[in-house]
Amino acid sequence: MTSEVLRWLVAQLGPDSNPADLEQRYERLRSARAVAQEVLQERIAALLAEPLRVSINGIATIDQTNNVAALERRLGHLADQTAPDDVAEAEFVSLSSIPLVARARR
């Protein structure tokens, strides 16, 4: 993983992301976008595993629904972002030829 990919991942996931964990995931998934998606999906799953809203009458209320919505939006915005290791579509342009053969006359 290049330093440019690591910087992009940290920009997408936040400065508290563990670089060693990101590098290990990158080696397995081979795509910065896939790493970011996996981390965000794990964060969403962790929030959904716990109660989203806890309220103690008159003392405190903890509401995680906005955090889940923000992570889901972030996950949706990844499709619009260009990752540094994305392969340009121009590299996949290929030319093919099809030979035309005259049919026999009836």
Side-chain angles (χ1 to χ4, degrees):
M1 177 168 57
T2 65
S3 62
E4 183 180 356
V5 170
L6 181 60
R7 282 193 305 274
W8 185 83
L9 285 170
V10 169
Q12 300 304 312
L13 302 171
D16 60 336
S17 301
N18 182 354
D21 178 50
L22 295 177
E23 188 164 346
Q24 182 181 19
R25 290 175 192 258
Y26 187 80
E27 291 297 319
R28 180 172 47 87
L29 298 171
R30 294 286 182 206
S31 165
R33 184 181 314 282
V35 170
Q37 288 172 338
E38 184 178 75
V39 170
L40 290 172
Q41 288 170 343
E42 285 179 4
R43 290 178 183 177
I44 292 169
L47 286 173
L48 292 176
E50 299 294 324
L52 288 178
R53 184 177 168 97
V54 176
S55 180
I56 302 171
N57 289 336
I59 298 175
T61 299
I62 299 173
D63 190 356
Q64 298 289 348
T65 55
N66 289 335
N67 292 344
V68 172
L71 288 173
E72 288 173 341
R73 278 192 311 273
R74 186 78 204 126
L75 187 59
H77 288 300
L78 277 179
D80 300 333
Q81 300 283 328
T82 302
D85 63 346
D86 282 348
V87 178
E89 289 184 29
E91 293 180 21
F92 288 111
V93 173
S94 64
L95 297 175
S96 60
S97 63
I98 301 172
L100 300 176
V101 180
R103 293 190 308 177
R105 295 207 161 223
R106 294 185 192 182

